[in-house]
Amino acid sequence: MFQTNLSSSALLACSLAAAIALATPSGAADLPSPPPTSDTPEFRVERSWDFVIAPYLLAPTIQGDTTIGRLPNTSLDVSPGTIFDNLQFGAMGHFEALYDGRFGATLDVAYMDLGSGRTFPRVGGTVSAGVKQLVSEAFFGYRFWRQDSSWLEAYAGGRWWYNQIDVTANVPRNSFSRTITEQWIDPVIGLRGQHFLNDKWSLFGSANVGGFGLVSDFTWGAQAGVGYHFNERWAMHLHYKATGVDYDNGKSGTEAFSYDTVTHGPMAGVAFRF
């Protein structure tokens, strides 16, 4: 085993952090349910569809273990500074559609491109890696309880991980250069809800579990925070998110890949409803 400030595995973990912003739907739901609209006070018609667009930023810390190919199992303790120092490009966005205030669908997309990094393991030698990753998740939900603007929702769906890792290793008895592509989809179920303290402030919470040994052995997510509502269309949110995953592709040799980590950190974003 070796530990570094930035190994190829750590770079992979850095990229995976963006995705784990997806273990639950983002705080875009901080916007209130759409109020009735009308041309006159005597005639009010509720809108059938409501949409939300919410870009966000996550500053993650990653802790756990990962294995790539024949490289030794690597312990990870990656700070947000390490991730941002190696970030070449990144984009995170959350989208929602709500029908009749009850039936909803969410899509969350995160992409990160981390440049090559070079490390010097204790066992001797060097390792460099470049990582590109797109992580998307889609959920369908039903708001089974509503009171004024507050609500509770059950949701289910999947999280798709797609990773491309270019690795060049030059360590004792393990020298190789190759591109590794690893992808999987985890089924996920969960609950989320929002409670309005007043017209401006709200509380948001979400929790989910998944994997169930079908793909990952197990995955989980938890998220909570506050939202501030400027008006019926614009809001901002500040949350704290934690996500764990235990995945192993079951292969050996150069095809081996495992990722057993917990990623946690603050996230902030804005939301626009229309």
Side-chain angles (χ1 to χ4, degrees), residues 7-236:
S7 69
S8 62
S9 301
L11 279 171
L12 172 62
C14 295
S15 71
L16 291 179
I20 294 175
L22 344 158
T24 60
S26 84
D30 278 331
L31 284 175
S33 300
T37 59
S38 65
D39 294 328
T40 66
E42 292 79 17
F43 182 73
R44 296 182 177 272
V45 178
E46 178 126 6
R47 293 191 303 178
S48 294
W49 286 97
D50 193 44
F51 300 94
V52 174
I53 298 177
Y56 64 91
L57 176 67
L58 175 70
T61 296
I62 311 156
Q63 296 171 310
D65 299 283
T66 187
T67 300
I68 299 177
R70 292 194 178 98
L71 295 175
N73 182 272
T74 303
S75 295
L76 302 175
D77 191 355
V78 185
S79 69
T82 301
I83 294 172
F84 293 127
D85 284 346
N86 292 275
L87 181 66
Q88 294 187 352
F89 178 78
M92 302 177 188
H94 179 88
F95 312 91
E96 287 193 19
L98 184 66
Y99 179 71
D100 280 347
R102 290 191 179 275
F103 302 94
T106 65
L107 175 66
D108 200 292
V109 178
Y111 175 79
M112 292 188 78
D113 183 355
L114 297 174
S116 295
R118 186 167 291 275
T119 64
F120 297 87
R122 292 185 214 171
V123 295
T126 62
V127 176
S128 63
V131 178
K132 294 180 181 179
Q133 179 177 278
L134 173 67
V135 181
S136 301
E137 61 181 8
F139 297 108
F140 294 98
Y142 177 71
R143 297 190 179 180
F144 58 88
W145 177 84
R146 295 184 302 170
Q147 183 174 346
D148 299 325
S149 295
S150 301
W151 51 267
L152 288 173
E153 176 182 294
Y155 60 88
R159 184 176 307 118
W160 174 41
W161 308 68
Y162 181 88
N163 312 293
Q164 180 178 304
I165 313 107
D166 298 311
V167 180
T168 299
N170 202 352
V171 296
R173 291 176 292 183
N174 282 314
S175 295
F176 63 91
S177 178
R178 58 171 295 152
T179 297
I180 298 173
T181 299
E182 192 70 32
Q183 61 177 318
W184 70 93
I185 299 175
D186 279 322
V188 174
I189 58 174
L191 293 172
R192 66 174 186 159
Q194 183 180 21
H195 175 66
F196 277 78
L197 302 173
N198 50 49
D199 291 340
K200 295 295 184 182
W201 292 95
S202 67
L203 302 176
F204 176 84
S206 179
N208 63 63
V209 294
F212 310 116
L214 300 175
V215 186
S216 294
D217 289 337
F218 187 66
T219 184
W220 61 271
Q223 179 179 332
V226 299
Y228 181 80
H229 308 266
F230 299 100
N231 50 48
E232 292 180 357
R233 293 191 178 275
W234 289 96
M236 66 176 294

